[in-house]
Amino acid sequence: MHAGLNLLALALVPFAFATPLAKRAVAYYAPTAGGGSELDNAGSGGGEPLNVIISGLSSPEVLTDDGIVNFAHALGYSRECLDIHSGAPQTANLGDGNGWVDQLIEIREDYGSSSIGTCLESLVGGNHFRVWRQNGTSADSGALFLAVSKEEDLSEHHTIVANGYNIGRNLLVSAALGTTSAGDYTYSTTAENVTGLIAAGSTGVNHGIAQDGIVTVLTVTIV
């Protein structure tokens, strides 16, 4: 009798472990709610606004390191010229318990060539963005936070153009909306403008350039 009960209990154990509770998916968590900031640390006494979020509700493949690079290709952006990065990486605190961490990657407008186009961007300027992932134990959305801006050319030391944070965000969002494709993937992207994550104005913003306080949340679905 006891042996039969023990066998029944053992039979139920794998079933219990095979059906864990599903984690609730969220688009993102506000960094400030966890002690973070919607401004990164540019290392010069100011920060760049994290003005675009790739929602955690996007297709999971998009939210990986390779996934965001391929999505960037679909929008006309690529890795930095020859994978060479000058200067120290910027850091961000997404309020997820990880504290201030280095950017994952920096991606630049490629002017139609994914192999060498970003070398041209380094010379003549253009749009670019830095990426962080919100994946700490206290706020694990998986969302990607992007600091997007349009910059001057090399002779101007890549400073941000006037109104460059708003312009950079809008250019990236415009390229992303609707259907795009790169490699073996086709993407369908929707956007929502969110206020309240960052105050409008220039307080604390790198170069003292005012921004409008709008963060655009992109939901990217592989179709």
Side-chain angles (χ1 to χ4, degrees):
M1 185 72 171
H2 291 295
L5 289 174
N6 288 339
L7 288 174
L8 178 61
L10 287 173
L12 291 175
V13 169
F15 178 78
F17 281 105
T19 55
L21 292 175
K23 179 179 152 185
R24 183 185 172 194
V26 297
Y28 62 90
Y29 295 99
T32 53
S37 175
E38 200 72 26
L39 286 171
D40 73 9
N41 182 351
S44 57
E48 298 189 349
L50 303 175
N51 50 10
V52 173
I53 298 173
I54 308 295
S55 167
L57 301 178
S58 299
S59 295
E61 297 89 342
V62 175
L63 302 174
T64 66
D65 290 1
D66 289 341
I68 186 59
V69 171
N70 196 74
F71 180 59
H73 287 164
L75 311 186
Y77 296 75
S78 299
R79 290 178 180 270
E80 289 191 285
C81 177
L82 305 178
D83 275 338
I84 297 173
H85 177 72
S86 61
Q90 295 186 8
T91 61
N93 183 345
L94 301 183
D96 58 1
N98 286 337
W100 291 91
V101 297
D102 288 348
Q103 63 195 45
L104 292 171
I105 191 171
E106 188 165 346
I107 297 178
R108 299 180 181 277
E109 190 174 355
D110 66 19
Y111 292 101
S113 172
S114 61
S115 57
I116 61 171
T118 55
C119 299
L120 177 61
E121 193 278 342
S122 293
L123 291 174
V124 304
N127 234 34
H128 75 306
F129 60 92
R130 307 168 194 271
V131 183
W132 289 265
R133 180 177 293 110
Q134 189 177 56
N135 64 350
T137 55
S138 60
D140 185 8
S141 68
L144 301 178
F145 283 66
L146 280 50
V148 191
S149 59
K150 185 173 182 179
E151 62 183 3
E152 301 278 9
D153 61 24
L154 183 61
S155 68
E156 297 292 334
H157 308 289
H158 291 164
T159 56
I160 308 302
V161 304
N163 199 33
Y165 297 118
N166 295 338
I167 291 172
R169 177 201 62 215
N170 292 344
L171 286 172
L172 180 71
V173 171
S174 178
L177 282 177
T179 302
T180 56
S181 61
D184 296 327
Y185 292 92
T186 298
Y187 306 98
S188 176
T189 303
T190 60
E192 177 186 5
N193 287 336
V194 176
T195 58
L197 293 175
I198 184 172
S202 60
T203 301
V205 179
N206 201 29
H207 304 298
I209 297 173
Q211 46 77 41
D212 57 15
I214 294 173
V215 176
T216 302
V217 180
L218 299 178
T219 302
V220 185
T221 304
I222 293 174
V223 296

